[in-house]
Each structure stands twice: as C-alpha cells, then as structure tokens.
Amino acid sequence: MAEYIMDLRKLVGSRPLLQTGAGVIVVDEAGRILLQRRSDNGCWDYAGGSMELGEEAEETARRELLEETGLTACRLELFNVFSGEDMHYIYPNGDEVYNVDIVYICREYSGRLRPQEGEVEELRYFDADRLPDNISPPSRKVLERWLRAGSR
C-alpha cells in the first residue's frame, strides 16, 4: 500500500477516502490476461495500486506492475479512467475507499513473473472467456469494460 495512503489512514482511520491509483492489464501474445491473486482478499485482480504524492499516473502503473509481478512495461496504452459507485470498496481490514483507477493496457513487456511477497499469492494468465469468478470487486467494472471492448 502506498505510503501516502498509510499516512492518511493514521489520521482518519477507516473512514472513506478518495483513492487515486493506476493499474495495468497485461495481455500476452496469445491474448490472455495476467491476473494476480491478492493476499488481502483472496480475489483475482490486475496489477495496480495507489499513486504517491507527485507521481505521474504512468509512473504509478509501471512501478506497481514491476513491484507486483516482476514485469517491466515497455509500452503502455491508456485504456480508460474508472470512478464512481462501482469503484467503492471496503477492504477486509475495514478501510473504505472510493477508487479513481487510471488503467493501462500493456502488450509489450519484459522480465520474469515474480509475485510480490506479502501482497500477491499467485500470478496466472487467463483466456478472456475463462476469467475466474472471484474478481476483486473494484476491478469487475474495469474487466467487464475490457471484455466488451473485445479484449483489446
């Protein structure tokens, strides 16, 4: 979790926060999507996380992808910005957020898959028509839009 958000939590506790972050939908050469099983809720999600103060959205996306998966993005394409009620989430520890998620698509990357210790239990590629049922709640809207866009 971002240091900025952790510092805010010390002041406001679990009260709702507007949380801005960036995520990356990694698509391999076979058109499969890379998902990670999160340690905090056991659900599947794309790589991503909160922005730090002064950080650009694309920097956040690249940093989170590397930290969580071991992959380095060679090229990112802006997919969409997601916000609103569908992005509301209460973490298992009770922290409440309204996410603003700036999501990128990445088809060109390097590195070897390496799940981030303490945050990611497993990394796995999924066919677009065989995504797992237990997608992390704030990411459902994003992945549904990705599927409707033709898994581009």
Side-chain angles (χ1 to χ4, degrees), residues 56-67:
E56 294 180 8
E58 190 169 312
E59 287 178 287
T60 302
R62 289 178 184 280
R63 175 180 53 76
E64 290 288 341
L65 180 66
L66 180 60
E67 288 174 0

Side-chain angles (χ1 to χ4, degrees), residues 51-119:
M51 294 176 78
E52 290 292 341
L53 292 175
E55 192 173 40
E56 294 180 8
E58 190 169 312
E59 287 178 287
T60 302
R62 289 178 184 280
R63 175 180 53 76
E64 290 288 341
L65 180 66
L66 180 60
E67 288 174 0
E68 294 179 355
T69 70
L71 299 179
T72 299
C74 298
R75 188 169 139 326
L76 292 173
E77 171 191 344
L78 180 61
F79 176 54
N80 210 331
V81 178
F82 297 86
S83 59
E85 281 296 326
D86 290 339
M87 300 303 286
H88 174 254
Y89 184 64
I90 300 174
Y91 286 93
N93 69 359
D95 289 351
E96 187 172 359
V97 295
Y98 284 84
N99 289 306
V100 177
D101 200 4
I102 303 159
V103 181
Y104 295 86
I105 304 291
C106 180
R107 288 185 185 79
E108 298 173 28
Y109 51 90
S110 62
R112 293 182 54 195
L113 288 180
R114 177 191 38 78
Q116 183 179 18
E117 190 173 321
E119 278 198 41

Side-chain angles (χ1 to χ4, degrees), residues 2 12 30 46 62 85 118 139 151:
V12 302
Y46 49 85
R62 289 178 184 280
E85 281 296 326
S139 298
S151 309

Side-chain angles (χ1 to χ4, degrees), residues 36-51:
Q36 58 187 22
R37 193 164 48 81
R38 299 172 56 108
S39 298
D40 62 353
N41 64 8
C43 294
W44 291 93
D45 205 347
Y46 49 85
S50 298
M51 294 176 78

